Amino acid sequence: MSGFKKFLLRGNLVELAVAFVVGAAFAGLVKDFANSFITPLIALVGGKPDYTHLAVTINDTEFPYGVFLTSAIAFLITAVIVYFFVVLPMTKLIERMDRNQEVTERECPECLGTIPVKARRCQFCTAEVTPVVQTPA
């Protein structure tokens, strides 16, 4: 029982549970945004993208491919929304934040250990390395 308790109280399990709950709430937010704004805009141009009534019948068996088609279109719309309204702005923000951070470490060319940028000798293999002169940004 102590192993199970230890498993439940591990940090990454709690982080995963929180990420799942936040992800589910975010999925609802994206879906509602698509239904409230994007789908009506598409409907203005080409009609509402609802093809659930489309089906083909072979030997008295109905294959409702329209359900899949509607879901595929909804997926593509959701992916575009997430990319342009979440991923792209966050990528730009992270790039902007990283640009202002000063690099303090580098790899030793001999042993590939991590050494300070201003080091003249590697602390692991004692190879001589030329210090990097940083120019102000």
Side-chain angles (χ1 to χ4, degrees):
M1 200 65 181
S2 67
F4 183 68
K5 181 179 174 185
K6 189 192 243 183
F7 168 75
L8 287 178
L9 296 177
R10 280 193 340 208
N12 48 353
L13 182 66
V14 173
E15 290 172 8
L16 180 62
V18 169
F20 179 77
V21 170
V22 170
F26 184 72
L29 181 69
V30 169
K31 180 182 175 196
D32 291 340
F33 178 78
N35 290 337
S36 299
F37 298 104
I38 305 301
T39 305
L41 287 174
I42 293 171
L44 283 175
V45 176
K48 188 172 181 178
D50 181 17
Y51 305 108
T52 54
H53 62 280
L54 297 177
V56 66
T57 304
I58 301 173
N59 292 334
D60 295 330
T61 302
E62 186 177 10
F63 294 92
Y65 69 91
V67 174
F68 173 75
L69 192 59
T70 302
S71 293
I73 291 170
F75 171 77
L76 288 174
I77 290 170
T78 303
V80 167
I81 291 169
V82 169
Y83 179 75
F84 285 107
F85 291 104
V86 177
V87 174
L88 201 57
M90 286 302 293
T91 302
K92 296 290 182 184
L93 179 66
I94 290 170
E95 285 176 2
R96 186 171 291 147
M97 290 174 65
D98 285 346
R99 192 178 326 145
N100 296 333
Q101 291 181 352
E102 185 177 323
V103 178
T104 59
E105 294 182 333
R106 64 182 172 138
E107 283 187 345
C108 170
E110 296 293 323
C111 71
L112 302 179
T114 304
I115 59 173
V117 172
K118 296 179 181 178
R120 290 183 287 146
R121 190 173 289 275
C122 177
Q123 63 186 354
F124 302 108
C125 68
T126 67
E128 286 189 36
V129 292
T130 55
V132 175
V133 179
Q134 292 183 342
T135 58

